[in-house]
Amino acid sequence: MPVITANPIKEKIKLALVLSEFNTSVTERLYEGAINRLKLLRFDEDQYTTVKVPGAIEIPLVTQRLAASKQYHAIVMLGAVIRGETTHYDYVCQQVSQGCQTISLKYDLPVIFGILTTENKEQALARCGGKKGDKGSEAVDTALAMISIMQQI
């Protein structure tokens, strides 16, 4: 039985990036990581579209609209939900993650959950180019791996 793994993609692909503007000091770094990775991989600017939304809770609606357009091979959701003093964090995380999965399954499309869900701002900053990696760049790599896998199935 053949094993399917991520391989180089032969065709010119299109990605959409949906970026939350809430927690901008974190989300802009996630976005920079994603864009730097696309540039390193020699993506042309016409190969990706960025849509900025007010907060993480708005990401699934815009992602769904982009998925329905059938213009993209994958969509990368970028945002940061940082725990505060209330249960708001739990509701936002649940709704955004559920939205990601629902859209991905409904449209048979890789929708990448590049949303940081952290206890504090320091943890978030460590994950967008700090000690814990560059989750923006990693989200792009995950999108490309999933595109390859989906094309092989």
Side-chain angles (χ1 to χ4, degrees):
M1 176 175 184
V3 175
I4 297 174
T5 60
N7 293 311
I9 300 166
K10 307 267 189 259
E11 67 181 280
K12 190 172 184 177
I13 61 168
K14 288 196 75 167
L15 294 177
L17 307 171
V18 182
L19 175 67
S20 167
E21 292 189 295
F22 198 78
N23 291 317
T24 305
S25 63
V26 175
T27 61
E28 283 298 322
R29 290 182 186 193
L30 282 173
Y31 183 68
E32 286 174 18
I35 295 301
N36 288 340
R37 184 66 178 149
L38 291 171
K39 288 178 180 177
L40 183 68
L41 295 170
R42 299 177 198 239
F43 269 66
D44 295 326
E45 287 187 13
D46 67 342
Q47 286 183 265
Y48 59 91
T49 299
T50 301
V51 180
K52 293 183 178 183
V53 298
I57 204 75
E58 291 79 28
I59 291 174
L61 177 60
V62 171
T63 299
Q64 179 174 270
R65 179 69 59 94
L66 291 166
S69 77
K70 300 188 184 301
Q71 294 181 42
Y72 303 98
H73 292 87
I75 301 171
V76 177
M77 302 164 69
L78 297 171
V81 184
I82 300 171
R83 188 176 296 279
E85 297 176 1
T86 69
T87 58
H88 181 74
Y89 168 90
D90 299 313
Y91 294 109
V92 172
C93 291
Q94 190 278 328
Q95 290 178 24
V96 176
S97 63
Q98 183 66 43
C100 177
Q101 182 183 41
T102 299
I103 297 161
S104 184
L105 295 174
K106 178 178 179 180
Y107 291 97
D108 196 33
L109 179 73
V111 176
I112 309 308
F113 189 79
I115 311 290
L116 298 178
T117 55
T118 62
E119 295 296 316
N120 54 55
K121 188 173 180 178
E122 292 74 30
Q123 288 178 350
L125 291 171
R127 286 159 176 77
C128 54
K131 295 177 186 176
K132 298 290 183 173
D134 184 348
K135 301 305 179 186
S137 175
E138 291 174 24
V140 167
D141 287 342
T142 300
L144 298 176
M146 286 301 297
I147 292 167
S148 173
I149 291 166
M150 295 297 286
Q151 288 178 346
Q152 293 175 66
I153 296 176

